[in-house]
Amino acid sequence: MGWVHSCFGKLIDVGDAGTVAGRALVEERYRALLRQIPLLYVVALANYLGLHLATGGQLDSLYSPSTLLVGFVLVRLVHWVRARHRVLSADRIVRELRKTWFYALAVSVGFCAWALTLIHGASADHDGHVILFGTLAGVGCAYGLSSFPSAARLPLLFLALPLAVRLILSGDLAHIGMGISVGIVILLILRLLGIHNKGVDALVASRSEISIERERARRAERLAKSEKAKTKVIADTDPLTGLANRRAFLRALARKAGSVSRRRPFALAMVDLDGFKPINDTFGHATGDRVLEGVGARLTRTGGEGALIARTGGDEFALLLSGVTSPSAALDAGTKVCAALQEPFIVDGREFRISGCCGVALLKPGECDVEEALIRADTALYRAKESGRAGVAVFTQDMQEIHRRRAEVEKALRLPGTLERITVVFQPITDLATGELKALEALARWHDERLGRVPPDQFIPIAEQINVIEPITERLLRQAAAEATRWAASVKLSFNVSAVQLCTPGSSARILAVLGETGLSASRLQVEVTETALLADFEVARDNLQALRAAGARIVLDDFGAGHASISYLREMQFDGIKLDGALIGSVGDSIRGRRLLKGVLDLCSAMNLPSVAEHIETEEQLYLLRELGCREGQGYLLSPPLHAEAAAALAAPRLVAIGSRSAA
């Protein structure tokens, strides 16, 4: 029974709808049948009528087998004509093909039985007509079913072939020849059906593979686009706060600033936090990160709909605000931003208070480029910081002079030959108790023919921003070191290293190389570094300072008392001295509190066995108090103004120096 079922299954094979290729083959067969089967039934009817008329037959009764066969053919013809507009699933198509197979078998057997009945006892002419129309019906039906091979074989095997066998068995030589010819034609058509079926199978399989590959390519493309979109989001997002990062912000600013289709003004606000660094240094980065997340959330709520909020630096944020069309509205927006930061931030039950200064630039699309827009906002932020904590400022024409001056300084710094015009002068650092000259601090001086005198606190930050500070610093160090070789061996060269240079890997090697070129021993170099420089990249800065110290140079922490976290650096890094910020010295004559603060700082230096240097000593009262409190060294206009190289060389020759005025540089 299993063998019979297997053979029958192969005989009635309609295809496998369980696979992609199988479904494609089944659907292709069905589409072809929709076009061909109506023609099949037309051929069957035409041959039936031709045979009926050629044999001189009369219309049978309505219930005769031949009439019922014709009625069945007509019903199936109508069924297939109406099926043209139906869309079937693969499983429904399989069922339809199976029915088609059985109907083809029934029609073939019925037509064959009727034809054989006509041959039996008929005349020779009538037998020829039966063979002609029966064979044509079998071949025509096979063609109509050619896309469905297992059904296409049925008219040949159960209609045309029995007629051929009947002719061969008749004993008449003419009939035998006709039967053999018909049999050969049947065999050829069966072979053609097999070849055609293999070709169709291969074509459908190829189409299916192409479709699968195409769909796979589409999925891969969709996945690639999705991954690209995710990558873009990640690349444009600050991982800590979830806000836009600096790159995405600058791109959005470029679009707004460069647009000429929309002329409505918008505001660019820059926010710099006050009081954040002590939180980060005292309670750790995890706590600091939580505070920054809170800042980002508050700025997002404050910015409102249509605003773009970005974290552009460690504790720096920027906002693009739409709908801000006037200076008063820009001021209100900046005030709201600062007010949003006034409420304390709660992290793990602790309350942290910070504030922020905000500089706002009101911009019109197409008015300026991105760099100009940032300069305006930075200029306003600088003015806001001058106002104190939580200060707010809007860029106005009054600030244009500051902006213009900055632009001119930047332009001049980029010009060839500018470095040669930046020179060095020296301010003495003396022992406050004995008056002995301990060191000479190198100070940069720049007098431009067009700009006039440009102070260091004006051009050095700009030089750092446009990446020309390193060649300036190296040139000044080379000048100063060459001059220091003319001084007494006991006098050191004190030199300030910029944040950019200090936080550049390998800069210590370049500094030592300059000393080697000039012949100045590293033990005579005193490197002054600020807290700001250490904040930029502490690890790189520490590596450079350790390398310099290992070579014999002294490391002095400059501007102690001006920042927030200097004490933590005293703990984490080894210094050879501390230079007190001038604000500590200037306040001693104004209040008792200022004197107590200065005394506390000096006591801290003494406890850590670190020599202290006071700067900006300008009055006898300050000098007296510093001596009384135990400050070891000092500098300032009261002791000596900065000196040109020749005057400094003359001063550095003797071992002792009298406290008094000198010819100023």
Side-chain angles (χ1 to χ4, degrees), residues 235-284:
D236 291 344
T237 302
D238 173 52
L240 176 61
T241 62
L243 302 174
N245 59 17
R246 183 175 182 83
R247 189 176 87 170
F249 182 80
L250 292 178
R251 190 166 58 246
L253 176 58
R255 285 197 303 267
K256 270 186 168 294
S259 173
V260 294
S261 59
R262 293 180 295 176
R263 304 296 295 176
R264 288 179 61 81
F266 66 96
L268 166 60
M270 307 292 287
V271 180
D272 189 40
L273 300 183
D274 295 321
F276 171 74
K277 288 183 177 65
I279 297 174
N280 214 34
D281 291 332
T282 304
F283 296 94

Side-chain angles (χ1 to χ4, degrees), residues 131-301:
I131 297 301
L132 173 64
F133 288 109
T135 303
L136 288 176
V139 173
C141 291
Y143 170 77
L145 293 168
S146 59
S147 62
F148 186 9
S150 61
R153 298 185 187 102
L154 298 177
L156 297 172
L157 296 175
F158 293 96
L159 176 53
L161 185 59
L163 292 175
V165 172
R166 176 69 179 80
L167 289 174
I168 293 171
L169 295 177
S170 66
D172 184 274
L173 291 178
H175 285 180
I176 292 173
M178 291 173 61
I180 292 173
S181 296
V182 171
I184 292 173
V185 170
I186 290 171
L187 291 176
L188 289 175
I189 294 175
L190 286 173
R191 175 156 180 79
L192 289 175
L193 284 174
I195 295 172
H196 174 72
N197 184 47
K198 289 181 180 179
V200 171
D201 287 354
L203 177 62
V204 172
S206 176
R207 287 179 181 173
S208 178
E209 290 178 3
I210 292 173
S211 178
I212 291 171
E213 289 301 320
R214 187 175 295 152
E215 181 58 29
R216 191 174 296 157
R218 289 195 189 102
R219 287 199 302 268
E221 183 180 6
R222 288 194 296 269
L223 180 61
K225 287 181 178 179
S226 175
E227 292 299 322
K228 183 178 179 181
K230 290 179 182 178
T231 302
K232 185 178 183 301
V233 169
I234 293 173
D236 291 344
T237 302
D238 173 52
L240 176 61
T241 62
L243 302 174
N245 59 17
R246 183 175 182 83
R247 189 176 87 170
F249 182 80
L250 292 178
R251 190 166 58 246
L253 176 58
R255 285 197 303 267
K256 270 186 168 294
S259 173
V260 294
S261 59
R262 293 180 295 176
R263 304 296 295 176
R264 288 179 61 81
F266 66 96
L268 166 60
M270 307 292 287
V271 180
D272 189 40
L273 300 183
D274 295 321
F276 171 74
K277 288 183 177 65
I279 297 174
N280 214 34
D281 291 332
T282 304
F283 296 94
H285 291 288
T287 300
D289 289 348
R290 295 277 297 278
V291 172
L292 290 177
E293 291 174 4
V295 170
R298 290 192 189 180
L299 292 180
T300 300
R301 290 194 298 268

